[in-house]
Amino acid sequence: MTTTTLQTLWNASDAGHVRQRLYGVLRHAIIRLVLAPGQALSEKEIADAFEVSRQPVREAFIRLSEAGLVEVRPQRGTFVVKISPQAVYSARFVREAIEVAVAKSAAEQGLSRRGMDDLLELVERQRRTIDSGDYERFYVLDEAFHQTLSREAGHESAWRFTEEVKAHFDRVRYISVPDGTPLETLVDQHASIVAAIDARDPEAAERAVQAHLRELLTSLPRLIDRFPDLFATH
């Protein structure tokens, strides 16, 4: 399993403008728990690390605060917000509503053969990452699966909206290995979604997406008990 750091995220970013690049890197670092819930953030340290001025760092902190990922405390500093269980449940609710609609649309209208092949290939690539223990790659492919489904169904804008609301949901995924749902189960659920779409069965597609996204309802209480310091208590 690879180790992610701020520097590797920065090097991997292809955003052109330094402000967008910095915001994207810090956002991903918070979601992937490279920056831990409750951790203090230093404008100067981040500016020095990426060899940028403090102004874009300050702007990134403001955007992250607006997104509910950091908290600026007067006279104390800026801190990564702890994970709010209520925010996680709300994000899951919104995501399910959107992704059920996308999957039902795909099943009703059908996908191109290329689209179906892309989804099946992503499912198989996820299976291979389980064997190698590359959990970070697993979640990259997980994102690709849901994004590809939205795109091939003609609803890519729905995925972009989902991305904005699911940050807290995603933070939980990164602490859930190996305490959450077995990865084999998640891949099997992806396969069930694809099978329902291929069979042109909207109701089965709806059930498959619901089963997939409701796994969190079972795993989250266990994760809160196991990692109480990562979660907000109010």
Side-chain angles (χ1 to χ4, degrees):
M1 181 174 174
T2 57
T3 300
T4 302
T5 65
L6 278 177
Q7 198 61 54
T8 57
L9 290 174
W10 180 261
N11 293 340
S13 173
D14 58 2
H17 199 288
V18 65
R19 286 177 171 80
Q20 185 58 35
R21 186 179 183 188
L22 191 58
Y23 170 74
V25 165
L26 292 176
R27 183 178 185 275
H28 280 115
I30 291 171
I31 288 172
R32 297 186 185 190
L33 307 179
V34 175
L35 296 173
Q39 181 175 337
L41 302 178
S42 164
E43 268 184 27
K44 183 179 186 305
E45 288 178 6
I46 290 174
D48 289 347
F50 298 134
E51 299 180 342
V52 299
S53 70
R54 294 175 69 166
Q55 182 60 29
V57 178
R58 193 172 299 121
E59 292 174 6
F61 283 180
I62 292 170
R63 289 183 65 187
L64 292 167
S65 176
E66 291 170 348
L69 293 174
V70 305
E71 178 184 11
V72 180
R73 302 176 191 168
Q75 312 304 318
R76 295 188 60 191
T78 301
F79 298 83
V80 178
V81 170
K82 291 193 175 186
I83 301 170
S84 162
Q86 185 54 53
V88 173
Y89 287 130
S90 295
R92 192 216 61 80
F93 178 84
V94 172
R95 184 175 180 184
E96 180 182 305
I98 293 171
E99 296 206 27
V100 161
V102 167
K104 289 181 71 176
S105 172
E108 289 163 357
Q109 299 175 25
L111 298 184
S112 68
R113 190 66 256 167
R114 182 187 66 108
M116 291 298 299
D117 288 345
D118 286 350
L119 290 172
L120 289 168
E121 173 63 18
L122 286 165
V123 170
E124 289 311 309
R125 288 169 67 190
Q126 276 194 296
R127 289 196 196 282
R128 292 197 292 271
T129 64
I130 297 173
D131 295 335
S132 65
D134 189 348
Y135 302 129
E136 289 186 28
R137 184 65 183 158
F138 180 91
Y139 286 123
V140 168
L141 292 170
D142 187 85
E143 292 283 287
F145 176 89
H146 291 277
Q147 184 176 12
T148 299
L149 176 54
S150 292
R151 184 188 68 237
E152 294 299 322
H155 301 293
E156 191 159 16
S157 60
W159 171 254
R160 288 195 293 270
F161 179 79
T162 303
E163 276 195 302
E164 289 301 311
V165 301
K166 69 186 184 71
H168 290 288
F169 183 99
D170 287 343
R171 294 169 85 193
V172 170
R173 293 197 308 168
Y174 276 91
I175 64 171
S176 65
V177 177
D179 301 278
T181 302
L183 298 185
E184 293 84 352
T185 299
L186 299 179
V187 177
D188 288 343
Q189 290 169 346
H190 279 181
S192 295
I193 293 169
V194 177
I197 292 169
D198 195 34
R200 304 291 292 272
D201 187 337
E203 287 72 29
E206 177 176 10
R207 291 193 299 271
V209 171
Q210 287 175 336
H212 183 52
L213 295 179
R214 291 180 183 180
E215 287 290 344
L216 184 76
L217 300 176
T218 301
S219 62
L220 185 58
R222 293 200 305 269
L223 295 171
I224 293 171
D225 287 342
R226 184 169 174 79
F227 304 103
D229 292 344
L230 300 183
F231 290 89
T233 56
H234 56 276

